[in-house]
């Protein structure tokens, strides 16, 4: 659970600019987002090969080449480790979510971005708002810190999904 100093449900946008990684703050950031959703800006120093869990690795093997322009989304099903991935074409852009088109420059960046989106999707469900959609809005390269390590910023749009 989030420490008591973490405000709950108050933010439309959370900037996680902690380097080299903000991973320890992801749960707090998800808790801070309003029940109506918002945007997470996640900074991290990412190795060239990126990082991915087994679920993300399986997804990555089914994706088209790295230059493909597709929407990447995860949907939480309300329970931990029960997150569905959906890849949509431009004509299926979710209502109210613009700019979800991402061009992947490097495979490691894509691997990292999908892993972060998946991890955030699993952290978002809460009492009263169990189902969420997490969409990769943007991936930005800030600078290189060392050979094969890049400072990236991932913009994730998080919104609740009504079921029924």
């Amino acid at each position: 659970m989030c420490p008591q100093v973490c405000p709950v449900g108050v933010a439309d946008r959370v900037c996680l600019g902690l380097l080299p990684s903000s991973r320890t703050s992801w749960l707090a950031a998800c808790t801070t987002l309003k029940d109506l959703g918002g945007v997470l800006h996640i900074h991290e120093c990412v190795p060239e090969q990126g990082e991915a869990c087994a679920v993300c690795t399986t997804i990555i093997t089914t994706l088209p080449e790295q230059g493909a322009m597709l929407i990447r989304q995860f949907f939480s099903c309300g329970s931990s480790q029960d997150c569905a991935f959906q890849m949509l074409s431009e004509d299926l852009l979710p209502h109210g979510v613009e700019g979800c088109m991402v061009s992947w420059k490097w495979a490691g960046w894509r691997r990292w971005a999908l892993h972060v989106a998946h991890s955030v999707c699993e952290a978002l469900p809460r009492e009263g708002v169990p189902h969420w959609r997490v969409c990769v809005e943007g991936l930005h390269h800030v600078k290189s810190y060392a050979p094969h390590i890049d400072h990236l910023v991932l913009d994730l749009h998080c919104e609740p999904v009504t079921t029924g």
Side-chain angles (χ1 to χ4, degrees):
M1 191 64 187
C2 189
Q4 290 187 10
V5 296
C6 174
V8 177
V10 298
D12 293 313
R13 185 173 304 273
V14 179
C15 182
L16 293 154
L18 304 170
L19 292 177
S21 176
S22 62
R23 289 174 190 260
T24 58
S25 301
W26 290 356
L27 180 58
C30 290
T31 302
T32 302
L33 282 180
K34 290 181 178 177
D35 286 348
L36 296 175
V39 177
L40 299 177
H41 303 282
I42 299 175
H43 293 245
E44 190 160 316
C45 291
V46 180
E48 185 176 86
Q49 296 304 312
E51 176 187 346
C53 63
V55 171
C56 296
T57 300
T58 302
I59 292 167
I60 288 165
T61 60
T62 65
L63 292 175
E65 291 303 312
Q66 62 191 23
M69 296 285 283
L70 295 167
I71 298 163
R72 275 73 172 193
Q73 299 183 114
F74 281 96
F75 291 87
S76 66
C77 302
S79 64
S80 179
Q81 298 181 356
D82 192 10
C83 221
F85 174 79
Q86 185 175 20
M87 186 168 58
L88 303 173
S89 60
E90 184 175 2
D91 58 329
L92 296 174
L93 187 67
H95 176 70
V97 180
E98 298 181 16
C100 272
M101 308 307 286
V102 178
S103 179
W104 308 103
K105 183 173 181 182
W106 305 109
W109 293 5
R110 171 174 60 180
R111 185 177 301 111
W112 173 77
L114 291 177
H115 177 66
V116 173
H118 179 230
S119 299
V120 166
C121 183
E122 288 182 337
L124 277 166
R126 59 182 91 154
E127 188 176 330
V129 191
H131 306 283
W132 289 78
R133 172 177 32 220
V134 176
C135 180
V136 175
E137 282 190 342
L139 179 62
H140 314 281
H141 179 256
V142 178
K143 69 179 189 175
S144 295
Y145 271 105
H148 314 289
I149 297 178
D150 295 300
H151 175 182
L152 302 179
V153 180
L154 179 65
D155 300 323
L156 295 179
H157 183 273
C158 308
E159 66 179 9
V161 177
T162 56
T163 59

